[in-house]
Amino acid sequence: MALRSLSSTKTLTLGLNSTSLLPHSRSLQTFSLPDLPYDYGALQPAISGEIMQLHHQKHHQTYITNYNKALEQLNEAIQKGDSSTVVKLQNAIKFNGGGHINHSIFWKNLAPIREGGGEPPKDSLGWAIDTNFGSLESLIQKINAEGAALQGSGWVWLGVNKELKKLVIETTQNQDPLVTKGPHLVPLLGIDVWEHAYYLQYKNVRPDYLKNIWKVINWKYASEVYEKECA
Amino acid sequence: MAAATSMVTSSSFTFPSQGLRLPTRSHPCMKPQRRFLRKYASNVITATYELKPPPYSLNALEPHMSRETLEYHWGKHHRTYVENLNKQVVGTDLEGLSLEDIITVTYNKGDILPAFNSAAQAWNHDFFWESMKPGGGGKPSGDLLDLIERDFGSFERFTEEFKSAAATQFGSGWAWLAYKANRLGVENAVNPWPSENDKKLVIVKSPNAVNPLVWDYFPLLTIDVWEHAFYLDFQNRRADYISMFMEKLVSWEAVNARLENAKAQAAEREMEEERMKNEEEWKPTDDDDDDDDDEGLEMYVDSDDDSEAE
């Protein structure tokens, strides 16, 4: 550790938003809240502006803050060779890092109606959905059933197995990213079913939230990701 | 679905419902506490679990916990758990069991069966409402305070630890104060050196519907940290909700009563275990019995045939 020179630290920090704990430590990338590509109120009435603001500015921000903190502590523990702490931090990293990953995808999964939100997928993804599920309606029904049945907090995903080039519907608990369900799974679209995602507007009626969110789902983004994996 | 509970009128009877929802044990000395209604409809008897109201009106916890929260939390969430439980239990082996027994059976050592979520959440919410009262908070006293100070150092340290557990239960779940009276916490193991320290207070947190009954602990106090419990009043500020709960809502009377009951049940269980152990030690074997009987008979019936007794 003491052998790291100042010059190598400088090259590492170029172009990155990073902090160094000590002059000779490995520099660490920290994460920051991504901007939403639309106003908080732009997804109404499917999702209220109040929810979007809290969800983005409070919940997502908190995951990022805690993720950065956990990474800093992890870095320190690695430097010191403190294996006990390294292992102990894994949960905090999964929770908060997962929260950051999942929400970053989620904001891209949504779009105002006037910007294509709700427009059905065409091209290869549209075709794959019809082939695998019969129709878009049938896919939506399955995803909503899984989302409604999820106990506690979690996410429901439409993903693609990039090895098999197959579409899958999966759920994950808490903030587990989709990849925890299979190393070859790539998320195309995720729906947050934590209560904070809908409670102020839909209260206990999660099925209504699931029914309405499709009006603002951004299939363009899902198609882009699908084409990249299955080209 | 709501009609099902309203059908229970004159042609039903209820077991007296307890003011406090106390944990039961599957134990020869303990009668299982049943809280259900028998519904008579064309000669078919079905057991139905009932949604019990909190021991105060829905606005009684204001301004700390709003009436709106209680209306949804009790009136929708809790009610739905009870309705789903009834649907999942009817016509199965679980029908007629006490709620606590259903919880133990369907927990299935962690490989949970479908009715667990409904049953445990129905129980958890009853327990939660009864853990609070208008004008609650403050400090406990007497035995309870002594135990808290013994097991946590001070009431302040206990509060910090309880609040921390509630704040760090990731996702949905509950934080608990419980009385742990089993030795070693390992099923079928025998602690060769039982001591007073086996009976102690512990703070535990649990995910989703899980509660300390499944670990054979005696729950004493709980706080619901599912987001629906605090989102209308506190939004993302879970820590503020937890502080409010400790300062303004905890019913130390309820906790105290539960502790007394837990100690009594633990003592009874201990006595029963002692009794069963003693029975085993003093039990005579079959061979000894026969010889005694024969000699008795020989002596009184036929004193000339001693050779046959050999």
Side-chain angles (χ1 to χ4, degrees), chain B residues 201-218:
Chain B
L201 296 177
V202 292
I203 290 172
V204 289
K205 53 191 182 187
S206 60
N208 297 346
V210 178
N211 65 36
L213 293 177
V214 309
W215 305 313
D216 202 29
Y217 294 359
F218 296 90

Side-chain angles (χ1 to χ4, degrees), chain A residues 59 95 151 153 195-196 199, chain B residues 77 117 170-172 227-228 231:
Chain A
H59 291 274
F95 296 159
Q151 293 287 333
S153 309
E195 286 171 329
H196 65 237
Y199 206 78
Chain B
H77 291 269
N117 283 315
F170 197 75
S172 312
E227 285 176 326
H228 65 238
Y231 214 82

